[in-house]
Amino acid sequence: MKIFILINCPDQSGIVCSVTGFIHSNGGNIIYLDQHVDKSENVFFMRLESDFDAQSFKLKEFRTSFKKELALTHDMDFSIHSADSKPKMALFVSKYNHCLYDILSRFNSGELKVDIPFILSNHPDLAYIAAQFNIPFYHVPFTKDKRDTAEQEQLKLLKEYQIDFIVLARYMQIVSSTLIDRFPNKIINIHHSFLPAFAGAKPYHAAFARGVKIIGATSHYVTEELDAGPIIEQDVTTVSHTHSISDFITKGRDLEKIVLSRALKLHIERKTMVYNNKTVVFS
Amino acid sequence: MKIFILINCPDQSGIVCSVTGFIHSNGGNIIYLDQHVDKSENVFFMRLESDFDAQSFKLKEFRTSFKKELALTHDMDFSIHSADSKPKMALFVSKYNHCLYDILSRFNSGELKVDIPFILSNHPDLAYIAAQFNIPFYHVPFTKDKRDTAEQEQLKLLKEYQIDFIVLARYMQIVSSTLIDRFPNKIINIHHSFLPAFAGAKPYHAAFARGVKIIGATSHYVTEELDAGPIIEQDVTTVSHTHSISDFITKGRDLEKIVLSRALKLHIERKTMVYNNKTVVFS
Amino acid sequence: MKIFILINCPDQSGIVCSVTGFIHSNGGNIIYLDQHVDKSENVFFMRLESDFDAQSFKLKEFRTSFKKELALTHDMDFSIHSADSKPKMALFVSKYNHCLYDILSRFNSGELKVDIPFILSNHPDLAYIAAQFNIPFYHVPFTKDKRDTAEQEQLKLLKEYQIDFIVLARYMQIVSSTLIDRFPNKIINIHHSFLPAFAGAKPYHAAFARGVKIIGATSHYVTEELDAGPIIEQDVTTVSHTHSISDFITKGRDLEKIVLSRALKLHIERKTMVYNNKTVVFS
Amino acid sequence: MKIFILINCPDQSGIVCSVTGFIHSNGGNIIYLDQHVDKSENVFFMRLESDFDAQSFKLKEFRTSFKKELALTHDMDFSIHSADSKPKMALFVSKYNHCLYDILSRFNSGELKVDIPFILSNHPDLAYIAAQFNIPFYHVPFTKDKRDTAEQEQLKLLKEYQIDFIVLARYMQIVSSTLIDRFPNKIINIHHSFLPAFAGAKPYHAAFARGVKIIGATSHYVTEELDAGPIIEQDVTTVSHTHSISDFITKGRDLEKIVLSRALKLHIERKTMVYNNKTVVFS
């Protein structure tokens, strides 16, 4: 049985030795280890993949003794996941289909080890894609007067389907702080610029007006401050004076879908940790 | 004899036909033509390279009749350059040597068709490189009380050496508006971020603090507003949580020198035109 | 009415002037012009976009007089297309769905101005995607003994649906020379390596064995020689010792779909010309 | 005192635990650890950076007990280096100056922690650069009849200056097998193509003839087979039909110097390990 272990704690001497020794003495074999020390903050991060004998290994007991024997003495935050467990991901969309198709075609081919209990949208336009892939689609409009009931409906659905994390696949609606509080570092957004440049609305128009020679896309965890959360992944492409705003948008779509899919794959594979409004992204 | 022609004018029907016809009827052969129409502003841009018979061709007369027969009727801004004429470039530096070495090694191998009458610095540190390459070096300190005399000395040198354009090769000193006025779109700077992100001082520190996954460099023409002039060239490289600020700086140096050298090469080869605080960069 | 004009001919003095003059005198306005001279072969290439008055313009007559007045005297190959006409594209697939989904989602959102009369496969696996998008799907198996009848069926379908060009979207079957002869420079393939490295079967395995740090994908027109046709578009991504062959394949899929889609978009927009087993790709 | 430890051995359970425990019990603090398991070959690789108390730590004794207590029992190949020790690097060049200037300017600014005892060339052309940087220059011509004496002179110089590794900075001369045998995985070459495409002579000409849209450069360790050694670093840049062979060469120079400098920096910082004609490159 394969498990993932994620740890962060104050940096201290002998920590790698303690953790690897613990796994070893519990019959585990380390098949991957990556660690990082943030020297300015003096924080230690580690991600491990370990194999245990499927017959005898008991995840719950391992977690308990890990906490007692390691986490408490080293002041650790940690999480342990079975590689077999699939997180439940909700997809929020609006009218653009490119990110949605990209995610669903990966899901479809088994690239994303995740469950997708439902797709939610503030517009009805993309219901046909949900139908194509046999995924429940909820149309939750977000007009001014319906804001509160809409938010309640979102929360109800997220709870009902036991959602682990949310992907805003070009969801053109600001997410409420209630939602953010319930899903800290568990809402992944794609912004269509190389942040921090061109945060907010209409970044391609702003990029065109500035005359940049490179445009980008950024996937990040959503925090209270708009487009200012921890960055997971970014990529860029070149543009020139020959490109119109409409060309920027078309070229940008390819960036958006690739960058978002990379980010959510990292999240699904438990390769990201958040600290100080930044991410550690393990290889 | 090869000449470069750069044109911009209000977009109008028949303009390509008129210009190519004029060149043809004057005995020229068009070996390169690139044009661009800015549809939002309704402006036409064109760059041509033409071959003329070296014996009979007279650049000055051609320029006069171009003006009379074409430019006036079509409301054109234009410039015509002999491919053999080398612009005179002044290099302004401070303490970092990487851009300077990169430019001088290209100059040395004949890649840059330019004259470099002098190198100027507000610090004495890089005098030894000027000496290595046998180029006059002027140390013009820029302390607060010397600001005015320093500026006068700069202007005197630029005039004396008949400088065509200035390259700020990591010159860590804000250039005066007098200088900018005298060299409009003729001062090329390298800024160590993908503008408009991280304008101003210490961009690598700001990028590190924001936790970006990509850093960049931008070469632009200098205007009154800091780091806001027309962008000529940009490039980026990936970074991760494993990189310190010092790693950002080291990786960034490679970007800075390559991006600056590309930009000044485009300028030297008369491939850039400025309009509306943007550049048209011909291929 | 907007038209595209593509020209190639022996390089000669005055050619730009003649063509632009002809368009001008026929009431056309040039909105885009790009030209290229292959100096080693002495061939001239040009692509133009022109606007004509929709009421009075007659494409057929324009084509006839273009031929008589320009093409014959200048020894030109040329083609003229209305920007409104949509080419008919056949999609050939096998078992991988990523390129197919990528193309269909672009088609679906209007990014690709093309008709897709049918999808053909040598395997039944992807029939469900054709059904999702309501496109006829033909399963034409290509086992050894059925080779001839399969080829006949392909040709029949291509003729019946008046197909203009074929896209091999990870079609894992070598295309017959009969098909190539009937569709010269009209069959677009995606090969999963940066050609000419790793032509032929299993390029990711070969790349892994060689220990490369970069993998790529190449879209090219199909010619008799395997993976040796004119290259339209290439792109690459970095890999490291940490990546397995399976990681190469996953990362490569993103390259394949993006590169193939870019290539077929260039083809659809009439931006490619083939000469000497190379492409001229206009901006 | 900071040391680097590089290990490879058959993969086995408990190895990370053993090594980190050994360092810990010897008073060391692990500040960096990266490991990799080649699953197909069942080989374990690890790189560590550790801090020890400068007063009490004795590198020689540590190395001895590391060997006795760890390396023998785990069948390890290992090397331990002080972070302060500077390897001695010989530069071999011919006529192109771009890689040489790039390396020397980095050396000059302290980016490369290395000693450069001499520069050797089969041509006299670049002696002036060696003079600029005050580094001894040896002109060792390599004409057919002088091959043997030339090789002897090379070996003599390498021995005399106690050279640790050799950089072929566009050295246009095949290196003898005697030299390769004496410096296994210690001769770094830059080849001007994205290997394995275009191995051998005139890769830019071959790339131009094939009509590729991307050109590259590859830095690798030199082995008996030409351009087939373990790849350390690669990078690419885009080209188009508008670029001549001469443009390829100019654009390629920027790739060559950056890629070579990255590779030799990785080597200097002990971040590379060679196995099965591939490299493991630690972050």
Side-chain angles (χ1 to χ4, degrees), chain C residues 194 208 213 229 234 278 281, chain D residues 194 208 213 234 241 278:
Chain C
F194 52 89
F208 182 81
K213 302 300 184 190
Q234 299 188 288
K278 292 185 188 186
V281 177
Chain D
F194 52 89
F208 182 82
K213 301 300 184 190
Q234 298 188 287
H241 66 274
K278 293 186 188 184

Side-chain angles (χ1 to χ4, degrees), chain A residues 98 102 204 217 248-259, chain C residues 102 106 111 257-259 261-262 265:
Chain A
H98 54 289
D102 196 65
Y204 292 129
F248 279 34
I249 292 170
T250 304
K251 292 196 88 175
R253 277 200 296 255
D254 281 0
L255 284 177
E256 293 163 26
K257 70 186 188 190
I258 297 291
V259 168
Chain C
D102 196 66
R106 289 170 202 270
E111 186 183 322
K257 71 186 188 192
I258 298 292
V259 168
S261 287
R262 276 190 214 145
K265 207 170 156 189

Side-chain angles (χ1 to χ4, degrees), chain B residues 90-93 99 166-171 173 175 179 187-190 222 260:
Chain B
L91 283 171
F92 283 29
V93 298
C99 287
I166 301 166
V167 173
L168 310 181
R170 295 301 310 277
Y171 180 64
Q173 172 67 42
V175 166
L179 211 65
I187 307 177
I188 299 173
N189 185 40
I190 178 74
V222 174
L260 177 58

Side-chain angles (χ1 to χ4, degrees), chain A residues 194 208 210 213 234 278, chain B residues 194 208 213 229 234 278 281:
Chain A
F194 52 90
F208 182 81
R210 179 62 188 89
K213 301 301 184 188
Q234 298 188 288
K278 293 185 188 185
Chain B
F194 52 90
F208 182 82
K213 302 300 184 189
Q234 299 188 288
K278 293 186 188 185
V281 177

Side-chain angles (χ1 to χ4, degrees), chain C residues 193-205:
Chain C
S193 80
F194 52 89
L195 290 174
F198 311 123
K202 295 206 173 281
Y204 291 129
H205 289 73

Side-chain angles (χ1 to χ4, degrees), chain A residues 35 45-46 56-58 84 91 128-129 135 145 200 216 230 267:
Chain A
Q35 55 90 50
F45 301 87
M46 187 156 60
S56 58
F57 183 73
K58 295 198 165 43
D84 297 332
L91 283 171
Y128 76 98
I129 301 181
I135 296 173
D145 53 322
H267 184 86

